Amino acid sequence: QLILSSGKVTGSGVETALAMAILHQALRAAAFVNPEPTPVMAAAEKVLRSLYPGRSAAVFFAVYDSTLRELRYALRGHPRPVLRLADGSASELPGAASTPFGFGEISVAQPDEDRLRVPAGALLVLRTASFSSDQTLSGFQSDAEIIATIEHLDPQRRPAGTLLGSLCGAQGCADDVAVLTALFR
C-alpha cells in the first residue's frame, strides 16, 4: 500500500510550520494503526484541535492498493485532486465538498471517503492553494484552466515542477503552494 497526503494549515511563521509537521505526523501515525481514510482523518483532526485550537487545515489523505489498483481517499477543504489519464484527459476526483479541519469532526460512522479505480498510466495531481478565496494563482481564474494545463503535462518529465511553474509564473508564488504528483504504472 502507498499512503499519500497533502495539506495546509492556516497562518504563517514557525508555529504554522510546526502545526503542519505535527499534522503530517498524526496522519502517518494514525495510518499505522488503521490505514483507512476516515479514521485517519478523524484522528489527525483531533490532534490539530487539541494542540492548535482555533486553527483550520485543508487536508487530503489517500491509500493506494496496487493489487486492486484502487485509491481510497478523503479530503477536507483541500483543492480537489486531478486525475490525468494516459490519453491526456483529466478531471477532478469525485466526491462531495467538505469543510476544512477545525470546523467540526469527522464521524467514523458516516465515512467521508471515496474509492476510485486507477488505470495504468494515470497521473494523480495534488496541489495546495491559499485559503484566501480572492487570490488567484498567476492569472488562473478557475479549476477548469488548471485542469486544461494538467491535460498538457508530460507525466514523464517533471510534471509537478512544470505545473508549479505554470501556476506561479517566473516570480514564484506569493503564498505557499505545493504540487505533488504520483504516476501509476
Side-chain angles (χ1 to χ4, degrees):
Q1 291 186 345
L2 173 67
I3 304 290
L4 299 165
S5 69
S6 174
K8 183 173 182 174
V9 174
T10 56
S12 62
V14 175
E15 187 176 339
T16 299
L18 181 59
M20 194 67 239
I22 289 171
L23 181 59
H24 278 293
Q25 288 301 323
L27 290 164
R28 182 177 295 141
F32 278 114
V33 175
N34 181 1
E36 293 299 322
T38 298
V40 167
M41 295 283 272
E45 182 168 12
K46 285 180 184 176
V47 169
L48 181 71
R49 295 180 102 200
S50 296
L51 297 176
Y52 299 96
R55 292 234 185 209
S56 59
V59 180
F60 171 84
F61 179 84
V63 178
Y64 177 68
D65 183 328
S66 61
T67 305
L68 300 174
R69 300 198 65 85
E70 181 181 68
L71 186 71
R72 297 183 316 273
Y73 61 93
L75 58 105
R76 295 280 307 274
H78 192 279
R80 194 154 298 281
V82 174
L83 188 67
R84 180 193 181 280
L85 301 178
D87 68 5
S89 63
S91 61
E92 292 181 335
L93 294 186
S98 61
T99 58
F101 280 6
F103 293 101
E105 294 186 37
I106 297 173
S107 167
V108 177
Q110 296 181 358
D112 186 19
E113 65 183 63
D114 291 283
R115 296 173 184 262
L116 177 74
R117 182 159 165 21
V118 181
L123 179 72
L124 180 66
V125 179
L126 303 167
R127 61 183 165 77
T128 61
S130 172
F131 275 99
S132 173
S133 61
D134 61 338
Q135 293 180 350
T136 59
L137 298 172
S138 190
F140 284 94
Q141 299 299 315
S142 69
D143 288 339
E145 290 177 291
I146 294 172
I147 290 171
T149 300
I150 291 170
E151 288 177 335
H152 293 93
L153 290 176
D154 180 346
Q156 303 293 330
R157 302 192 66 198
R158 302 186 65 237
T162 302
L163 181 59
L164 188 60
S166 294
L167 292 172
C168 297
Q171 292 79 25
C173 290
D175 193 14
D176 293 333
V177 176
V179 175
L180 171 71
T181 59
L183 179 60
F184 297 92
R185 298 186 188 268

